[in-house]
Amino acid sequence: AMILQMQKGGAAEQAGLRPTVRNARGQVRYGDLIVEINGAPVRSNDDLAHIFEQGFQEGGRVNIAFIRGRKAYRTSAVLQKLD
């Protein structure tokens, strides 16, 4: 699931994840691609939504595996309530 947008100051931003952005020349820099949450594979946005429907709680920590460019990374995020 590619990150298209993020809440400013939100959990994803605090975890160091990057969204898709367009620069002043109109060129697109694609966001990070989430491939795993707490060991569960993420192959689509539907997978990501299904994982978060499983009862995660605000304040809980999730482990995230993602791809940026051609490199694999891991981070974690503390879940926040969406505004």
Side-chain angles (χ1 to χ4, degrees):
M2 183 173 292
I3 300 175
L4 300 177
Q5 298 177 333
M6 293 189 319
Q7 186 174 12
K8 186 97 172 137
E13 184 177 75
Q14 290 178 21
L17 296 171
R18 294 183 187 167
T20 298
V21 295
R22 184 179 302 271
N23 68 19
R25 294 182 184 180
Q27 298 167 318
V28 174
R29 185 191 79 203
Y30 292 105
D32 294 333
L33 182 66
I34 296 174
V35 295
E36 188 180 283
I37 299 285
N38 283 355
V42 175
R43 295 183 186 92
S44 68
N45 290 340
D46 287 339
D47 285 351
L48 189 60
H50 180 71
I51 289 168
F52 281 105
E53 289 169 353
Q54 302 305 308
F56 288 100
Q57 300 292 321
E58 180 180 353
R61 183 172 293 277
V62 293
N63 297 307
I64 305 165
F66 66 98
I67 305 293
R68 178 178 295 155
R70 294 186 176 160
K71 288 187 170 184
Y73 297 91
R74 291 190 173 277
T75 190
S76 64
V78 175
L79 299 177
Q80 302 172 343
K81 190 173 192 174
L82 294 175
D83 291 335

